[in-house]
Amino acid sequence: MTQVTEVDHPLVRHHLTRLRARETTPHEFRSLLRQLSSLLAYEATADLTAYPVSIQTPLTSMMGTQVTAKVALVPILRAGLGMVDPILDLVPHAEVWHLGVYRDETTAKPVEYYNKLPQTQPPDVVFLLDPMLATGGSACMAISAIQRWGVGSIKLLSVIASRDGVKAVTDQFPGTQIFVGQIDPDLNHHKYIVPGLGDAGDRTFNTLRYLG
Ligand code: PRP
Ligand code: URA
């Protein structure tokens, strides 16, 4: 099983280019994030369990297919919220559970501030949603929480990842699959991805005060 999939598709590259551009407005940013989330989810859902079902069309009977996997989406607040709706459109029976993690501004270390994962029967697969995988600290904290829930299959969907972030997740959680739009080479001294797109949460929710 390939653990890291960089989804190499002209539409991914096209939408990512607009997403990264400094002049892209929050309105367009949210729309692009939705489109990119659908493209990543198309790849990430390719191995969902499905069973044959018998149906009647208006003309005849036939065997079709029904996805039976119990799926949960776990967005990391805030920026992961922008990825939920397009994936729910593709997987309407999915559950959604929220995790709140922010990076401390001085240390860039993750701080968990909201965790409502249930204690009940875990799903078959979790799609962990966060557009940015920078140092990997937030994703690793989230994966630990999801593993404590008892989930066996975790797929992390990120629009942009740094090389360091991918390495952090694959080193600490070798069973986690990563689906990413593009892997960027660097982190700057504030631990922002370079070239990146800046702060995904701020650009999604129009709370940008500084674009360094
Ligand atoms: C961003 C991003 C990730 C995290 C990535 O969130 O959405 O959660 O940083 O960085 P890491 O890989 O180094 O942990 P942020 O902390 O800015 O919170 P926000 O979504 O509320 O803006
Ligand atoms: N969080 C973001 O939103 N962007 C980065 O480049 C790093 C962390």
Side-chain angles (χ1 to χ4, degrees):
M1 182 202 309
T2 310
Q3 199 188 333
V4 182
T5 304
E6 192 173 6
V7 180
D8 185 24
H9 189 288
L11 286 175
V12 171
R13 292 196 292 274
H14 175 86
H15 293 315
L16 248 174
T17 301
R18 290 301 313 153
L19 193 81
R20 290 176 186 275
R22 187 186 182 109
E23 69 276 10
T24 296
T25 63
H27 176 74
E28 191 191 355
F29 189 94
R30 290 190 293 271
S31 165
L32 292 161
L33 183 57
R34 284 194 292 273
Q35 286 151 6
L36 286 158
S37 301
S38 299
L39 291 164
L40 293 179
Y42 179 78
E43 293 285 338
T45 51
D47 63 352
L48 283 185
T49 17
Y51 279 96
V53 284
S54 160
I55 59 156
Q56 298 280 335
T57 77
L59 303 180
T60 185
S61 59
M62 65 166 280
M63 293 306 289
T65 300
Q66 185 175 359
V67 171
T68 51
K70 191 176 167 207
V71 176
L73 312 183
V74 178
I76 300 181
L77 308 179
R78 294 173 299 166
L81 287 174
M83 302 176 72
V84 171
D85 281 351
I87 302 180
L88 267 184
D89 282 344
L90 294 175
V91 192
H93 67 278
E95 304 170 357
V96 184
W97 301 96
H98 298 85
L99 274 181
V101 180
Y102 71 86
R103 294 201 317 179
D104 180 285
E105 277 182 14
T106 47
T107 64
K109 299 283 181 218
V111 180
E112 184 180 284
Y113 63 92
Y114 185 85
N115 180 343
K116 282 286 181 186
L117 299 185
Q119 301 301 310
T120 48
Q121 180 73 20
D124 298 320
V125 56
V126 160
F127 292 88
L128 176 61
L129 310 179
D130 194 324
M132 308 303 279
L133 177 63
T135 65
S138 305
C140 288
M141 183 173 267
I143 293 166
S144 293
I146 294 164
Q147 285 191 338
R148 286 196 298 277
W149 185 13
V151 176
S153 173
I154 303 174
K155 296 170 189 258
L156 169 62
L157 277 58
S158 292
V159 171
I160 300 177
S162 74
R163 283 193 194 129
D164 287 0
V166 169
K167 183 170 182 331
V169 172
T170 52
D171 283 356
Q172 291 180 51
F173 299 100
T176 298
Q177 282 181 277
I178 303 175
F179 295 85
V180 59
Q182 270 175 352
I183 299 174
D184 283 4
D186 298 315
L187 291 173
N188 70 11
H189 61 289
H190 293 302
K191 304 293 184 195
Y192 272 76
I193 301 174
V194 180
L197 54 72
D199 189 302
D202 283 342
R203 295 195 65 181
T204 300
F205 294 109
N206 199 14
T207 52
L208 194 59
R209 298 274 189 267
Y210 166 75
L211 192 58

